[in-house]
Amino acid sequence: MKQERWVYPFGKGHREHTSEDKQLLGGKGAGLATMSHIGLPVPPGFTVAVPACAHVLAHNGQWPAGLEKQVKKAVEQLESDSKLHFGDSENPLLVSVRSGAAVSMPGMLETVLNLGLNDTTVQGLISETHDSRFAWDCYRRFVQMYSTVVCGLSKEVFERRLTEARRSAGVTIDSELPASALQELCGAFQTEYRNLTGNVFPQDPWEQLHGAIDAVFRSWNAEKSVTYRRVERLVGLKGTAVNVQQMVFGNVDDNSGTGVCFTRDPSTGANEFYGELLINAQGEDVVAGIRTPLPLISLRDKMPEVYDQLLAVRAILETHYGEMQDLEFTVERGQLFILQCRSGKRTPTAAFRIAVEQATKPLITREDAKRLTKRKLLSAREAAAASKPVITREQAVRRIKAVDIERLFYPVISPQVSQAEFRERRLAKGINAVPGAAAGAVAFSAHEAERRAAKGEAVILVRPETSPEDVGGMQAAQGILTQIGGKTSHAAVVARGWGKCCIVGCTELEVDEHKRRMKLGGREFGEGDTITLDGSTGEIYAGALPLSRPEPPPQYQTIMQWVDEMRFLRVRANADTPEDARKAIEMGAEGIGLCRTEHMFFATHERQLAIQEMIVADDATQRGAALAKLLPYQREDFIGIFEAMAGRPVTIRLIDPPLHEFLPRTPEQVDRLAKASGRTPAQIERRSSQLHETNPMLGHRGCRLCLTYPEILDMQVRAIIEAAIACQRRGVEVLPEIMIPLTIDGRELQILVDRTRAVAEGVIRAARTKLKYLVGTMIETPRAAILADKLAESAEFFSFGTNDLTQLALGLSRDDAGRFLPEYLDQAQHAIFADDPFQSLDVAGVGALVSHACASGRNTRKKLKLGICGEHGGDPATVRFCHDVGLDYVSCSPYRVPIARLAAAQAALAERKKK
Amino acid sequence: MKQERWVYPFGKGHREHTSEDKQLLGGKGAGLATMSHIGLPVPPGFTVAVPACAHVLAHNGQWPAGLEKQVKKAVEQLESDSKLHFGDSENPLLVSVRSGAAVSMPGMLETVLNLGLNDTTVQGLISETHDSRFAWDCYRRFVQMYSTVVCGLSKEVFERRLTEARRSAGVTIDSELPASALQELCGAFQTEYRNLTGNVFPQDPWEQLHGAIDAVFRSWNAEKSVTYRRVERLVGLKGTAVNVQQMVFGNVDDNSGTGVCFTRDPSTGANEFYGELLINAQGEDVVAGIRTPLPLISLRDKMPEVYDQLLAVRAILETHYGEMQDLEFTVERGQLFILQCRSGKRTPTAAFRIAVEQATKPLITREDAKRLTKRKLLSAREAAAASKPVITREQAVRRIKAVDIERLFYPVISPQVSQAEFRERRLAKGINAVPGAAAGAVAFSAHEAERRAAKGEAVILVRPETSPEDVGGMQAAQGILTQIGGKTSHAAVVARGWGKCCIVGCTELEVDEHKRRMKLGGREFGEGDTITLDGSTGEIYAGALPLSRPEPPPQYQTIMQWVDEMRFLRVRANADTPEDARKAIEMGAEGIGLCRTEHMFFATHERQLAIQEMIVADDATQRGAALAKLLPYQREDFIGIFEAMAGRPVTIRLIDPPLHEFLPRTPEQVDRLAKASGRTPAQIERRSSQLHETNPMLGHRGCRLCLTYPEILDMQVRAIIEAAIACQRRGVEVLPEIMIPLTIDGRELQILVDRTRAVAEGVIRAARTKLKYLVGTMIETPRAAILADKLAESAEFFSFGTNDLTQLALGLSRDDAGRFLPEYLDQAQHAIFADDPFQSLDVAGVGALVSHACASGRNTRKKLKLGICGEHGGDPATVRFCHDVGLDYVSCSPYRVPIARLAAAQAALAERKKK
């Protein structure tokens, strides 16, 4: 049997191109391997690969066969590469032992530095560095680190000893301790070690190394690591790699130093070599923040050779990766070492600027290229690569993330607010339904929200949950906070449509609507008290924190132009009003994929009354009279939308929600309706209770309403067609698509399509004109998806209503799932779903229904138009699925349109790559 | 182009075997064609086939090309066959024109008799019959019938003239009118005709015939016919055939007569020639009921030749059809004519006896066979056929209908009750949820029902709707009536399990629970007032009508034995208690397919309290303590069930309903729980409202409960396994199948199966024994069906929960569908579904999910056990589907087990036939 390979050396001519596979070597290990491969100066060492960690964790700490032998061989190689030796009293080999998972988990996993030091080798270090204080300090730190990290001893014991040492030396900080005090501490630490463990502190570097590697392995399953992965939803990681690397010291003289740099400015994205460093210092000193670092440019004067070397490294690395890099380097006695490289984090603004400039401009100037080549720091090939764009436009587009766009358009809490202030003001966390931040005075009713907003106050509407009647107050508020509901609850869906900050399902919140008070985070708030919502994280803070709103950089437009050139999938918006429609166009929508007519019914009291009168009508005649009142309102709204969309397709869904949603709730509203409809309040109440449903989601709604009350369909179709004709007469192009919701059967759809066409043709004939329009259906029940071939006989288009389709396929009410869906998403515990199926389409289940419906629908009608209009339409993974399954368009809330455009382009690029 | 054939002659040697296709010739036409073909004496004539009617109705009354020509040719043939002539003054041809659809629609379609009479031919009839009274009466009737039926004139006018004629003749009934009066009436009727239509009464027999055929066609779409077809749910009929046939007269002398007979006794099923007749009379006279008919046997003395002829006809017809026949015959001057034959209606008792005797015994005795052969009334072949069983056992089994079994086991309203009494007492109609009848005193609460029943009273429980808390009262009542809910509402499902009469969704019912009164059919009832329910029809009657319960005949057992030999599909019952289990075995169940553990929680107050304490528990410890109280109850119940089932498999479903279903509803119940659990009523209320769900059907239930509260699963699995071990120790074989409900995902199921097995193995290990058990899942969400391959990785069996699967696939709550589902089932209006999808599985939609899940589940696990446990399991069409799709068993309520057994055998036979 071939021995499995666990260990991969790097540095000192190890140009063997092992792999850039982060799953194998971890992020740090892959970076070291790559830098080693492309000839950058990396301190030599080796990586113990991730599978070794996985094996050890799965086998109760036991190392796999061959690992020990491979590590020993790698150390021997390292000794010969470095001309240093483990345990040598003159030229001791010292190493760092660092974790490195495939995904960065800052501060979660363990590190041991200066490993190899013992009572003998410390002398070697002294003679080598001529700095006994330095050497004893290294040893002191190593003993302390090893005891706590590897052996799990309490940090306190060592801190106490340190404090004592400072006191007796009469100094206040560790760096002022003299060598003798540090030497004494080394002894004292080892005594503590013996007392606590019953063993002598290990002097054998081999034993030290074995222990340190095990400690890194173990740290993978430490509670904080597990929690971190759960919170960050890091799935599919098997463990960490361990990087063992020769120590280099930036603190041995003034020709040494250490620093961090970015190949471009991570804040603005400018093409400037950006970073900072400390002369005669170690990495820890940079982190500790005791000394103020110098800007990177100062290196040009202090160590011009090293600066040019770094410039070359910058050029080589960014051209190699085609990505802005974040580097750590150390200079030891004038010799440059790169310790780490990785893709650098950047602001959204920088993300766009970097992507566009990388795709259109050279990284370095012609002069720099010439100079560096002349100094043999760059090869001719490397210089040429750095003198032209480092990536293609396609790569630039692939590079942009949805969150980069998202963060461009939403206000955020000002970066000025300190972590301490955040901590102090934090009240609770809810579900982050709509990103962005909002601050303002609390209002507990829609009415109060409107009243305060009218006075110019910034308002946060706080409700147990919202209903269509709250829409006015929601509109008036800066942000919305609810106690109940998930990411697709009424509050979330409506707020998302407006791009308005919204936190839902905050179970800690206790609202007393009547007393107009709420309890949150152990504090009580009344109407007018201020709070701040961070809709991106779901955090709620006391008081009004300052907000800022980033400005999209010019490169945003460039990227979106490229995006639009690359994608095939069209992107529409869900929009119910002319204002929404205008916003949609502004965000780049190519049509409206879902216009919910019922939202119009709530716009004014008159409209509400008219729809309510329709519902309490005793017969078709009374119903007809009430509907006649609604007709002009609907027609007017449709005219506004058609005008805003100027010829782009507009999909209008006929009435969908169960009628009881429209009925009055408060006694005053009941009285008003009673008066308006000439009935007693008791009659109104009776009608309300008649309409009550056990499971309204599965009740008398959607096209079922049009089957039982065809007058509603007649009125709505008439309003749509009359509006379209009116626009056409004014020279505005129109393309209405009438959508019949919640169908379950081909015959059912046929009946309603026939009726729709009959009404439409009647209106068109009467107006003596011509009009192009489509009639189609929403696929939102599993049965509709299954029998799509039959539905396509009368439908000219399908639009997948994936919200309801998900609810039905999974038997999961989005309103009620808050109690148990978290268990399904909990990656550490059950890991049943990788993503919330209401956020990102459940491809295996719901996706199977969608793709079946697409195929069988198109089998019946080749030119069947296919789209999606659920909340999923703005989710990048779902957009990718929609592209793959061959939809014509996706439709989402206006604010997510740019994200969907980007995702559509990325899907097209991914497909191109596959081919 | 070949001319389409519209007309098919019969009688007088027309042995051309056209077709027995009722869709083409209608029922009557097919019978006449067949009788004609096998040489029985049929008055000659011809059938205008159904497609002609369909064409005429679709083309605004216009006859299709060729029809007129074919009718004329058929009349010419008839003239030459009968030696009579249309319009002939000496030998006039008179015909009847009768409707005849594929399915009998008694009294709905039109008939015209004596067509061909006019002022000339009436003389011919006089000279032929030597009976001018008879001839003028025929003419008078014809004019009257033609005027009203064909021309739509009001009947009143003619009745008025008749009344005048009786008055002036000084007689009281029409038959006493002398010839002269009748002749005058013929004139008077024709005058009225001219006055009302402006035309002369048509004298041309051709014109008369054309008009009469049109009138029959038209009657297909008359309002009463359309309503009849809707009510009887007659689907797929295209129109009626028209039968034109030479008139024969049973009232010309004492050697004439008319009668009706059955080839066996339709009431008892006895192998006796059964029927009645009138001498010297016409068919109308039998129907009118003025004269008392004689028993058929009297013909043996009065016209022995004719009697033997009839005996031969009986033998030939029943052996030809292999089915008991219902005949109409007329004797004209000693000559026998058969006017009609069809399968005879029979009582359920008769159905079993006839089927068994047809399959095991000869129809006629050896003596009769010999005698009839000798007299050349039977051929040797015909005699041989009638002397052995006329059908096979397979045919006997195919013949039995589900309703025959159903009506054997449920009480019915006594046949003694007159139609008049029914009419008078009828109050309203609800949905016929569970068949059978019940009569008793009204109780408006479960408690009151129990109280009255305890005193020995028969009680009808009347509720707006029922909930699990009503179960005690439902059990105590004879019948259940609810205002709300459909055939699968709580009331219906529970009542069906017990075979208890139940009417639901009676929208006319107004119940005032507090005042303990109800309004129904315009009357008011208080507690203790009596009503009668007919669960088979949904009718509700005032007062207590007498009931009777039929006794299954011995042939029932014979048929069921044959059934069990023929079927492959196993039949289990849904049963929740030892009593149910025993009933199930009695009805022939081979196991329990669904034991709902939660029903046990309602059995006593102690149990209810324990489950409620579990729900209000603050943590796992409190929950554990409450569950520990439930464990012994559950174990005890399972022991009872295992003992009753004696080694047959028992599928036990873990807890399924949302927890709020168990919580107290009334203030008293809240108080009781508060006391028992050491909480305040307010705390209980708060917990209740926390658990409230918008769509409970899609909420926190099924296996989601076991994911969030695994302690529940632990307790239930422990109870099952401990009960099984206890039984096994007592020598009772057990085969528990633990079923995890409402799964949506393979990983979810894996987690729960692992936990189930861990608990079970722990209990088995601790008991130092061995036990065979299965763990599987219920497929009741579309996603589970779609991803069945994944579920089969951990499930050893699937049971399709088609109730929920239907609700989810269609997005249709069975509790709420009452408002609109009728529109979907209305065959006359929309005809979207042929059957209620909650009664008979929706094969196209839900069936597609089931068959996909079967195939992909078995693809993963070859020996996967498959069953169905929804309400559909007892529906014959669904059982057929289950057989075809390869399920191992169906499970239904105990009372439907025999029906499912029958349907399983019929499915196997149908498959055999196909092969």
Side-chain angles (χ1 to χ4, degrees), chain B residues 221-236:
Chain B
N221 276 345
E223 203 185 326
K224 65 175 178 178
S225 309
V226 171
T227 305
Y228 182 86
R229 290 197 296 275
R230 187 173 70 215
V231 171
E232 296 291 319
R233 309 194 52 204
L234 300 179
V235 196

Side-chain angles (χ1 to χ4, degrees), chain A residues 60-120:
Chain A
N60 216 5
Q62 212 191 319
W63 282 24
L67 175 56
E68 176 127 9
K69 208 171 131 196
Q70 291 181 26
V71 168
K72 286 209 167 150
K73 212 177 137 205
V75 170
E76 279 164 25
Q77 178 68 47
L78 180 52
E79 288 178 323
S80 101
D81 285 347
S82 63
K83 313 229 158 34
L84 303 171
H85 296 280
F86 247 177
D88 197 286
S89 64
E90 297 196 354
N91 293 305
L93 171 65
L94 305 188
V95 297
S96 61
V97 179
R98 293 179 208 257
S99 64
V103 178
S104 169
M105 294 169 58
M108 292 302 133
L109 303 175
E110 297 297 359
T111 293
V112 179
L113 299 177
N114 301 327
L115 186 141
L117 279 175
N118 58 22
D119 297 347
T120 310

Side-chain angles (χ1 to χ4, degrees), chain B residues 767-847:
Chain B
R768 295 169 194 281
T769 183
K770 285 184 174 180
L771 177 72
K772 220 188 129 190
Y773 65 97
L774 300 181
V775 186
T777 187
M778 202 154 166
I779 303 286
E780 47 186 337
T781 65
R783 194 178 198 267
I786 293 167
L787 300 178
D789 52 341
K790 304 277 182 232
L791 297 181
E793 286 171 10
S794 50
E796 290 172 306
F797 64 88
F798 285 172
S799 178
F800 291 95
T802 47
N803 295 351
D804 281 5
L805 197 55
T806 301
Q807 296 197 79
L808 293 171
L810 277 65
L812 207 65
S813 161
R814 60 190 189 189
D815 295 320
D816 304 314
R819 287 192 191 81
F820 53 92
L821 197 54
E823 298 269 348
Y824 281 76
L825 298 173
D826 187 331
Q827 297 310 324
Q829 211 188 339
H830 296 316
I832 294 170
F833 292 126
D835 275 301
D836 182 338
F838 292 116
Q839 293 302 305
S840 192
L841 192 83
D842 156 38
V843 170
V846 180

Side-chain angles (χ1 to χ4, degrees), chain B residues 494-664:
Chain B
V494 172
R496 192 168 302 123
W498 298 329
K500 180 162 299 194
C501 166
C502 178
I503 298 177
V504 296
C506 178
T507 46
E508 295 172 62
L509 174 66
E510 285 181 41
V511 185
D512 188 327
E513 280 186 80
H514 301 291
K515 293 198 185 145
R516 304 185 164 241
R517 315 256 338 139
M518 67 172 183
K519 279 189 197 161
L520 195 57
R523 293 173 54 176
E524 226 183 302
F525 294 81
E527 213 139 37
D529 292 345
T530 56
I531 60 172
T532 300
L533 309 182
D534 185 343
S536 308
T537 62
E539 298 281 359
I540 305 150
Y541 303 97
L545 290 169
L547 306 181
S548 66
R549 181 190 278 273
E551 191 66 27
Q555 290 84 359
Y556 166 74
Q557 294 302 345
T558 310
I559 287 280
M560 294 315 286
Q561 194 188 316
W562 295 351
V563 154
D564 289 346
E565 287 162 14
M566 290 170 198
R567 69 189 162 91
F568 297 107
L569 206 53
R570 303 221 156 237
V571 176
R572 299 191 189 183
N574 300 346
D576 305 337
T577 63
E579 300 79 66
D580 289 354
R582 281 187 284 274
K583 186 79 207 167
I585 300 245
E586 191 188 318
M587 302 306 269
E590 296 159 290
I592 290 179
L594 177 61
C595 171
R596 286 158 292 202
T597 51
E598 58 272 11
H599 282 198
M600 304 177 179
F601 298 148
F602 288 108
T604 65
H605 286 327
E606 290 73 35
R607 292 175 178 210
Q608 274 190 41
L609 261 186
I611 182 89
Q612 289 169 349
E613 279 180 50
M614 190 278 286
I615 296 167
V616 299
D618 292 324
D619 53 38
T621 316
Q622 284 188 9
R623 205 153 39 237
L627 286 166
K629 290 190 199 170
L630 281 171
L631 176 67
Y633 294 129
Q634 291 235 301
R635 190 173 46 214
E636 191 185 315
D637 287 333
F638 293 138
I639 288 174
I641 290 172
F642 290 145
E643 282 180 340
M645 296 310 288
R648 294 175 185 87
V650 178
T651 307
I652 299 169
R653 181 178 70 181
L654 300 183
I655 188 168
D656 186 58
L659 294 183
H660 50 78
E661 279 200 11
F662 299 101
L663 282 182

Side-chain angles (χ1 to χ4, degrees), chain A residues 343-366:
Chain A
S343 285
K345 289 217 163 76
R346 65 208 77 179
T347 63
T349 305
F352 284 96
R353 178 160 177 191
I354 291 171
V356 169
E357 292 190 352
Q358 280 181 327
T360 53
K361 294 179 181 166
L363 172 65
I364 58 175
T365 59
R366 208 173 293 178

Side-chain angles (χ1 to χ4, degrees), chain B residues 161-451:
Chain B
R161 287 285 193 175
L162 257 173
T163 311
E164 281 165 17
R166 280 196 304 269
R167 198 182 305 134
S168 60
V171 301
T172 52
I173 55 172
D174 293 352
S175 56
E176 293 169 347
L177 285 172
S180 58
L182 292 166
Q183 186 176 359
E184 265 172 47
L185 266 177
C186 286
F189 280 8
Q190 293 195 43
T191 307
E192 290 289 358
Y193 184 95
R194 201 171 44 240
N195 291 346
L196 290 167
T197 65
N199 297 316
V200 172
F201 184 83
Q203 293 288 319
D204 178 5
W206 282 108
E207 189 188 339
Q208 293 174 356
L209 183 61
H210 200 298
I213 291 174
D214 271 340
V216 176
F217 285 160
R218 269 199 313 270
S219 67
W220 181 257
N221 276 345
E223 203 185 326
K224 65 175 178 178
S225 309
V226 171
T227 305
Y228 182 86
R229 290 197 296 275
R230 187 173 70 215
V231 171
E232 296 291 319
R233 309 194 52 204
L234 300 179
V235 196
L237 297 178
K238 307 260 188 270
T240 179
V242 183
N243 299 292
V244 179
Q245 192 172 25
Q246 184 195 335
M247 289 292 300
V248 289
F249 298 100
N251 55 348
V252 287
D253 62 16
D254 281 349
N255 212 16
S256 301
T258 190
V260 175
C261 55
F262 292 81
T263 57
R264 300 183 188 239
D265 185 331
S267 171
T268 65
N271 183 5
E272 286 160 13
F273 198 15
Y274 176 95
E276 32 191 41
L277 79 158
L278 283 172
I279 300 292
N280 198 353
Q282 264 194 310
E284 304 180 273
D285 302 324
V286 182
V287 177
I290 299 164
R291 288 163 56 188
T292 306
L294 307 167
L296 186 65
I297 196 73
S298 60
L299 199 62
R300 194 168 51 186
D301 302 327
K302 292 192 197 295
M303 305 181 200
E305 305 248 329
V306 171
Y307 184 72
D308 271 358
Q309 248 184 299
L310 256 185
L311 274 184
V313 166
R314 169 193 184 231
I316 293 167
L317 268 185
E318 186 171 303
T319 51
H320 176 80
Y321 281 110
E323 192 33 315
M324 188 265 267
Q325 295 294 304
D326 164 357
L327 308 179
E328 284 178 24
F329 65 91
T330 286
V331 183
E332 186 181 281
R333 296 196 188 91
Q335 196 182 350
L336 175 70
F337 293 97
I338 313 295
L339 302 184
Q340 174 164 304
C341 75
R342 58 184 176 187
S343 284
K345 289 217 164 75
R346 65 208 78 181
T347 64
T349 305
F352 284 94
R353 179 162 175 188
I354 291 172
V356 169
E357 292 191 350
Q358 280 181 328
T360 54
K361 294 179 183 167
L363 172 64
I364 58 174
T365 60
R366 208 172 292 177
E367 293 71 46
D368 274 352
K370 227 180 251 175
R371 183 166 49 83
L372 295 172
T373 318
K374 210 169 161 189
R375 296 199 49 201
K376 313 235 166 185
L377 293 172
L378 289 183
S379 68
R381 201 181 51 74
E382 286 164 345
S387 303
K388 61 185 189 196
V390 300
I391 59 172
T392 62
R393 290 180 173 196
E394 285 73 15
Q395 283 173 308
V397 165
R398 263 195 212 112
R399 184 77 42 82
I400 299 295
K401 297 194 191 74
V403 72
D404 294 330
I405 295 186
E406 201 166 76
R407 288 192 297 167
L408 277 190
F409 288 97
Y410 295 108
V412 294
I413 295 176
S414 165
Q416 318 286 316
V417 177
S418 72
Q419 287 307 315
E421 190 165 2
F422 274 128
R423 259 196 310 279
E424 191 188 306
R425 289 175 175 271
R426 191 187 170 286
L427 295 171
K429 190 170 179 173
I431 299 170
N432 51 340
V434 186
V442 170
F444 293 107
S445 70
H447 178 252
E448 178 68 12
E450 288 184 75
R451 201 185 61 79

Side-chain angles (χ1 to χ4, degrees), chain A residues 465 689-701 703-704 707-708 742 744-745 747-748 751 781-784 786-787 807-817 819-820 823-824 829-833 842-846 848-849, chain B residues 465 689-701 703-704 707-708 742 744-745 747-748 751 781-784 786-787 807-817 819-820 823-824 829-833 842-846 848-849:
Chain A
E465 59 189 322
S689 79
Q690 271 173 4
L691 288 176
H692 168 80
E693 294 185 313
T694 314
N695 291 291
M697 166 71 210
L698 311 175
H700 193 184
R701 51 178 282 252
C703 70
R704 296 162 192 174
L707 263 181
T708 45
L742 206 74
I744 54 174
D745 187 84
R747 168 109 184 95
E748 170 198 48
I751 290 165
T781 64
R783 194 178 197 267
I786 293 167
L787 300 178
Q807 296 198 81
L808 293 171
L810 277 63
L812 206 68
S813 160
R814 60 189 191 193
D815 295 320
D816 303 313
R819 286 189 192 86
F820 53 90
E823 297 269 347
Y824 282 76
Q829 213 191 335
H830 296 318
I832 294 170
F833 292 127
D842 158 36
V843 170
V846 180
L849 287 171
Chain B
E465 61 189 320
S689 79
Q690 272 174 2
L691 288 178
H692 168 80
E693 293 185 313
T694 315
N695 292 291
M697 168 69 210
L698 311 175
H700 193 185
R701 52 178 283 252
C703 70
R704 295 161 193 175
L707 264 181
T708 45
L742 205 74
I744 54 175
D745 186 84
R747 170 114 182 89
E748 170 198 50
I751 291 164
T781 65
R783 194 178 198 267
I786 293 167
L787 300 178
Q807 296 197 79
L808 293 171
L810 277 65
L812 207 65
S813 161
R814 60 190 189 189
D815 295 320
D816 304 314
R819 287 192 191 81
F820 53 92
E823 298 269 348
Y824 281 76
Q829 211 188 339
H830 296 316
I832 294 170
F833 292 126
D842 156 38
V843 170
V846 180
L849 287 172

